[in-house]
Amino acid sequence: MPYQIDTRLKGANPSLQIRDASSGAVRLAWEYPRCAPPEGEEVDEELLALKREEAIHELFRRLFMLTAEQYLAGEASEGKGTPM
């Protein structure tokens, strides 16, 4: 199953969309979290770094799940009815 990968910058925040090339269905949509604090509030750099790291981990988890889903769908259709 071929995919189309679209990346963009919305201001300073990168975003990613992965679409099924044949149907055009969005399989994964991700945008880096906006971490701008409200005006007048102090910025906790450690908390901000942790949120960024969690967002990147979530992206890779979702990419792994998408790859596993694709792999299993291919396995199910190729291996249907064949004994081990």
Side-chain angles (χ1 to χ4, degrees):
M1 179 185 304
Y3 289 103
Q4 177 183 357
I5 299 172
D6 297 319
T7 58
R8 291 187 179 86
L9 278 176
K10 294 180 182 179
N13 297 317
S15 65
L16 170 76
Q17 267 194 353
I18 299 177
R19 298 175 186 261
D20 181 332
S22 57
S23 69
V26 175
R27 304 294 287 161
L28 182 134
W30 178 84
E31 185 174 330
Y32 201 77
R34 296 186 179 149
C35 298
E39 283 187 41
E41 266 191 42
E42 215 172 285
V43 177
D44 184 354
E45 291 297 326
E46 287 180 24
L47 183 58
L48 202 55
L50 180 62
K51 286 182 180 180
R52 288 181 181 133
E53 188 176 329
E54 286 176 346
I56 291 170
H57 282 278
E58 176 65 13
L59 171 64
F60 280 100
R61 184 191 70 77
R62 292 178 69 186
L63 287 171
F64 173 79
M65 295 302 289
L66 180 63
T67 302
E69 179 185 354
Q70 179 185 359
Y71 175 77
L72 291 173
E75 286 281 321
S77 63
E78 290 173 10
K80 223 176 199 180
T82 57
M84 291 193 154

